Amino acid sequence: MNRKFYALIGCALVAGATALAGVNYIGEAGSDWTDGANWEGGVYPVKTDTYLDTESVIFSAVPTNISSFRLGSTADAVLNVEPGAVLTATSSSIWGSWLGISSGFTGTINQTGGSVSVNELEVGSQAEAYGIYNQSGGSNSVTGLLNGYSLYIGGTKNSDHRDSDGGYGTYTISGGTLLTRAGVALGHATKAGVGIFRVMGTGPDEIGIGTLNESTEGSWFQHSNSVLQVGISANGITPILIDDANGDLSAEASFGAGSILDVSFIDGAEETNRWPVMICEGIMVDLGLSFDDSMGAATNDWGFIISNNTLWVGYGLDWPAGNRDELVPASPDLFYANMDANPMEVVLNWEAVGGASGYHLKRSTESGVNYSNIAENITGLTYADSDLEANKTYYYVLSAVNVAGESSFSEEVAGVGFPYAIFGDDSSYLGASPWFDKGKLFDNDVSTFFDSASPLGGWIALDFGEGNEQQIKQITYVMRDWNPYAVRNGTNTTFEGANSADFTDAVLLHTVPQTIGVNPMINSAVITDSTYYRYVRIKATDEKPLFSFAEVDFLIAADFTSSGTPKYWLDAYGLVTDGDYETADQEDRDADGLKAWEEYVAGTDPTDAASVLAINSMSNSVGGFVISWQSVEGKNYSIVTNASLSFPNPGVAVSGILGLASETSVTSSIPSADTLFIEIAVE
């Protein structure tokens, strides 16, 4: 690259020579733009294409009839746009504006404030011409596009008679806002021309490429010898945003072979850090971007990388110049588990993370803690975990990795070592599977559910396996608490057992009531049918009732202790150690006098000594004997009497007492006796 180019651009900032041609502004700096006396010929121009070749113009009024301006065609020209000024050159969509047109001449705009709006802008458009745009304030909006771009720096559009070699163009932004409708091109792919784009610290409010039209994508094409110069201030830098207006990831930032990145501190102390200088919402392509030290930066202290479609520069990070290694990738944000493909297998799935070379999958048996890797550097987007224990819940997180390190964890997902095959309705509402696959009915997670699309007769079944028929002793289920489905709930849904996979021999086990409690209430039905079945299912008999179920559990003999306590109940209170349910069932963990199995029967909390079946008071009354006890709403109780504890001969004084919340009181006639012992029994 010719280093003299930078010196020439610097010299071009001085005021130019006297205007010689075109429709010329001849007024003094600060004069009224709309006053005809300030224009050559004494008349304010009315043509739609106004050429400005002038030494200095400060805009203080609103030009209303300009389609373009051309500075530096027959003389050096400088325009100063100051606070309060408005320059609009958009009246013709087929004309662009030029800074630096003819060989040897310079066109300059110095914008310290105000507003500039142009259709298309070429800075240094023709061979050996110089274009300079210095923006330290105000707004510059390039509203149109010609041949795909809105802003050309060191080049020109590829059409008409101006399809020639580009010149030398520099756009420096240290303050204000630059917005374009479409792309920015630095230099040219096949013709001579050099463009420089400078971003100085955090002074710019916004640099948005492709942000002015919702249907037009942003783009950045930096060709050979063209330069992106970056000045890092104490507060960092304002990044360039390449906008993806349509959300289809078609925005592109491309760095051609021989393109240059130049970076240095412009104020503040040097510090080890990294900064994003360009963010592309589509794709970023590097075909040969390299470092240059024209701003005085020592390239061995600086480095750059492209990661997740973002161009980063770093200082003091031991990044080799031109390093293409990735930054630590972002954490996966789409991660889910299925468990209905095969028994005893949880299938984890995720979407790709930009910049990741692989993924680490971690697992725990406790939610939120104690994760350990079960698979490292997975290169695909799915993993089947089959190292499971039956009916145990596992919690998974995923991280993305590359040579730079490991991302933070994804959101946690749960899966169960489920011992039975799940089959039946595969369809889901609006094709939402795998988020709402049928395994979600059995994953021990009431926040997930099967989003069934079958209106009538849809069903989900379990296969216990050949030779492993089971007696269903209890069915528990939780309904979604989400309107309008919580209102309809599972009206008339049925549970059935069968020994044929097509359920042609189905036997009704339970019908869900039309009114049923929703999450977090666990609904339970005791099954008296003693037949052993290979298959059980939940079947829809109303419009999409399976849509209303969050969790279903078919309990068999193995799911209970020898005392008849459901194992899930002991698990829910954290009473089980090392899988020993029988010991847990016989313990009195809260030391209130009742064992765990007795608290299950009573409906009390086995971890709270204040929650216990106990008589609160007894007293004589005119109507009889008043007995009050701590009760559970919905439980049925009996008052049992006995005259002797040594030779018990109990009798039931009152039965069928429906318990109330907290306390139940009953006034009853109690048989007379010298000594009488009274107990409260749960029926």
Side-chain angles (χ1 to χ4, degrees), residues 45 48 55 140 286 334 360 370 376 401 471 644:
T48 59
E55 180 176 340
N140 181 11
D286 178 13
L334 183 60
H360 290 345
N370 298 328
E376 297 183 350
V401 296
Q471 179 189 359
S644 171

Side-chain angles (χ1 to χ4, degrees), residues 178-528:
L178 169 63
L179 304 175
T180 73
R181 174 182 175 181
V184 173
L186 274 63
H188 195 280
T190 60
K191 298 184 178 297
V194 175
I196 299 176
F197 192 91
R198 294 189 179 116
V199 182
M200 298 291 104
T202 56
D205 296 317
E206 181 180 2
I207 307 171
I209 311 302
T211 57
L212 287 180
N213 188 298
E214 293 183 355
S215 62
T216 306
E217 305 293 348
S219 62
W220 175 280
F221 283 88
Q222 185 173 331
H223 299 291
S224 179
N225 292 325
S226 292
V227 185
L228 173 59
Q229 288 188 334
V230 176
I232 304 296
S233 71
N235 295 320
I237 190 169
T238 299
I240 302 167
L241 173 65
I242 313 300
D243 187 58
D244 183 58
N246 292 320
D248 58 1
L249 303 182
S250 60
E252 181 176 352
S254 179
F255 301 96
S259 59
I260 296 168
L261 175 64
D262 195 359
V263 59
S264 181
F265 289 110
I266 57 175
D267 61 56
E270 298 179 355
E271 61 172 326
T272 299
N273 208 337
R274 66 187 183 193
W275 302 267
V277 299
M278 182 181 291
I279 301 169
C280 182
E281 294 184 340
I283 61 172
M284 186 170 283
V285 179
D286 178 13
L287 301 176
L289 182 64
S290 61
F291 263 126
D292 188 82
D293 60 0
S294 297
M295 292 179 68
T299 56
N300 60 324
D301 293 329
W302 289 92
F304 75 88
I305 54 178
I306 292 175
S307 177
N308 299 328
N309 297 316
T310 299
L311 171 63
W312 298 76
V313 297
Y315 181 80
L317 297 177
D318 295 326
W319 290 350
N323 182 13
R324 300 305 187 273
D325 291 341
E326 304 292 330
L327 291 180
V328 174
S331 62
D333 61 0
L334 183 60
F335 179 51
Y336 53 91
N338 292 340
M339 48 171 287
D340 61 356
N342 298 296
M344 294 298 292
E345 183 174 86
V346 175
V347 180
L348 291 307
N349 307 271
W350 56 91
E351 279 196 349
V353 174
S357 61
Y359 304 89
H360 290 345
L361 181 64
K362 306 172 192 296
R363 189 182 78 178
S364 177
T365 56
E366 303 173 84
S367 178
V369 296
N370 298 328
Y371 300 114
S372 58
N373 282 349
I374 61 171
E376 297 183 350
N377 295 311
I378 306 168
T379 56
L381 301 177
T382 186
Y383 182 87
D385 182 18
S386 57
D387 183 19
L388 310 173
E389 293 183 28
N391 296 309
K392 178 176 284 189
T393 301
Y394 297 88
Y395 303 93
Y396 301 88
V397 292
L398 186 74
S399 61
V401 296
N402 58 25
V403 295
E406 182 178 3
S407 76
S408 56
F409 295 162
S410 67
E411 293 291 330
E412 181 184 82
V413 298
V416 177
F418 203 68
Y420 312 124
I422 306 169
F423 66 105
D425 189 358
D426 282 318
S427 62
S428 61
Y429 181 63
L430 295 181
S433 186
W435 290 109
F436 306 114
D437 67 277
K438 52 186 176 289
K440 297 294 189 285
L441 287 179
F442 308 101
D443 64 354
N444 292 341
D445 184 353
V446 295
S447 68
T448 64
F449 53 91
F450 175 60
D451 195 350
S452 172
S454 298
L456 301 174
W459 52 271
I460 303 298
L462 299 183
D463 178 3
F464 295 120
E466 185 177 359
N468 191 40
E469 292 80 5
Q470 300 291 337
Q471 179 189 359
I472 307 302
K473 302 190 68 174
Q474 186 176 337
I475 302 173
T476 62
Y477 49 95
V478 178
M479 312 302 297
R480 292 174 61 198
D481 184 11
W482 186 42
N483 288 326
Y485 311 106
V487 176
R488 185 177 58 204
N489 295 330
T491 306
N492 293 327
T493 299
T494 60
F495 291 92
E496 298 174 342
N499 282 301
S500 298
D502 59 3
F503 283 84
T504 53
D505 59 344
V507 175
L508 178 66
L509 300 177
H510 173 63
T511 299
V512 177
Q514 293 189 12
T515 301
I516 197 70
V518 298
N519 184 26
M521 180 177 291
I522 299 176
N523 303 284
S524 181
V526 175
I527 307 304
T528 58

Side-chain angles (χ1 to χ4, degrees), residues 604-629:
T604 52
D605 185 343
T607 63
D608 182 3
S611 175
V612 62
L613 177 63
I615 294 175
N616 294 334
S617 64
M618 294 188 297
S619 62
N620 287 314
S621 173
V622 175
F625 202 67
V626 180
I627 305 173
S628 298
W629 66 92

